[in-house]
Amino acid sequence: MSNESIREKVREEYAQAARRVSNQGGSCCGAAAPAGNPITSNLYREGETASIPAQALAASLGCGNPTALAELKPGETVLDLGSGGGIDVLLSARRVGPAGKAYGLDMTDEMLALARDNQRKAGVENVEFLKGEIEHIPLPANSVDVIISNCVINLSADKDRVLREAFRVLKPGGRFAVSDIVVRGEMPGEIRRRVELWAGCIAGALEESEYQSKLAAAGFEQIEVEPTRIYTAADAQGFLAQNPDLEKFAQMADGKFMSAFVRARKPGAASKS
């Protein structure tokens, strides 16, 4: 598939997820993932979401909780790449407080409409949702303290461009702090294709060392990949159920596919709140 074909496929799947969220909720990486899969479950604590509209939680298509792991500080400016229904933006706005600001960036009109409605219901003012692609961030250079994202960068067909753009808009000393799907070590091609179909991640997850290399090539330093959920052979059995070699393939996928928190920093003076 071409880059544009991948983008349009992602756009349509997320539009469908937004349209049905009031009835069915959402799932990781778009419409393809089955309900209740181990990627999307139990990402947020009840205390975090008590004041978040139910539709924002239902539209969460993520694989982690970057707002909790990013250690956001009062007064910071945060940008969420691929903000979907807005849950991570609303949580970020609460963490940075009235002196800070949280931007959400999404390319899907239906998700933007849902996010803005959730913002209205939550009564949060220090939030702005922007339309655009994560490969072309519509913000000036050196304008953001922290970039977060939740299971979205793996969907891009041009991850190098995404990371260069993230680097551009971060202030010197700014932090890159995203949750994403990552592959650990080599995985047989057939297994990888089946795993990614199950997760709905159209463009494909990066291998751990490749992710680190791409961040370094974009200019980042202090790069870390911290597993938050490692998927087991038991998890694999659901998406390999139609394969006659189920047990063998499930064992081959065991421990190779994970949700991870990816940290990095733009060199320079630490950002100030």
Side-chain angles (χ1 to χ4, degrees):
M1 296 177 70
S2 68
N3 289 5
E4 186 58 32
S5 296
I6 291 170
R7 183 179 294 110
E8 288 307 311
K9 178 65 174 175
V10 171
R11 192 195 312 271
E12 179 54 31
E13 293 216 2
Y14 274 80
Q16 290 177 9
R19 287 192 290 264
R20 71 171 186 270
V21 70
S22 60
N23 295 319
Q24 295 183 0
S27 58
C28 175
C29 301
N37 77 61
I39 290 181
T40 61
S41 59
N42 302 316
L43 299 178
Y44 300 95
R45 297 187 299 272
E46 185 175 346
E48 289 180 291
T49 59
S51 62
I52 297 296
Q55 285 191 325
L57 183 59
S60 173
L61 312 180
C63 59
N65 185 352
T67 62
L69 296 170
E71 300 178 353
L72 301 178
K73 302 177 181 67
E76 289 189 316
T77 299
V78 183
L79 168 64
D80 182 13
L81 300 180
S83 49
I87 185 170
D88 292 318
V89 178
L90 298 177
L91 290 173
S92 295
R94 180 190 301 167
R95 290 177 182 272
V96 300
K101 183 158 186 176
Y103 289 101
L105 175 63
D106 206 282
M107 66 178 179
T108 307
D109 289 328
E110 291 84 351
M111 277 296 184
L112 287 166
L114 179 61
R116 288 167 180 150
D117 188 51
N118 287 329
Q119 177 188 359
R120 179 186 58 79
K121 291 176 180 175
V124 179
E125 295 184 358
N126 60 329
V127 161
E128 184 176 350
F129 289 100
L130 307 171
K131 182 175 182 180
E133 298 167 356
I134 63 175
E135 297 88 355
H136 307 277
I137 299 173
L139 287 173
N142 307 316
S143 60
V144 174
D145 294 296
V146 186
I147 284 181
I148 64 170
S149 185
N150 201 343
C151 196
V152 171
I153 294 175
N154 66 79
L155 297 171
S156 174
D158 192 351
K159 298 175 181 65
D160 293 311
R161 178 64 183 260
V162 174
L163 299 179
R164 289 196 301 269
E165 278 288 275
F167 187 88
R168 179 184 67 81
V169 301
L170 278 172
K171 299 175 184 178
R175 309 191 304 283
F176 178 89
V178 310
S179 294
D180 215 346
I181 299 295
V182 179
V183 175
R184 171 167 281 179
E186 292 297 321
M187 183 184 294
E190 180 177 356
I191 302 302
R192 184 176 175 120
R193 286 191 296 273
R194 288 175 180 270
V195 169
E196 290 174 351
L197 176 63
W198 168 68
C201 299
I202 306 300
L206 291 174
E207 196 276 327
E208 182 178 8
S209 61
E210 186 179 10
Y211 211 137
Q212 294 171 317
S213 296
K214 287 181 179 295
L215 282 164
F220 287 99
E221 60 183 20
Q222 300 180 36
I223 298 164
E224 299 177 21
V225 178
E226 175 189 342
T228 53
R229 292 185 179 183
I230 299 176
Y231 304 105
T232 66
D235 296 326
Q237 291 184 10
F239 56 82
L240 295 171
Q242 303 304 314
N243 196 293
D245 297 314
L246 168 63
E247 185 173 352
K248 180 183 73 173
F249 282 165
Q251 289 299 324
M252 292 169 71
D254 186 45
K256 296 291 184 68
F257 190 64
M258 64 184 182
S259 296
F261 185 57
V262 184
R263 294 182 180 89
R265 187 177 289 271
K266 181 174 180 175
S271 58
K272 297 180 181 180
S273 305

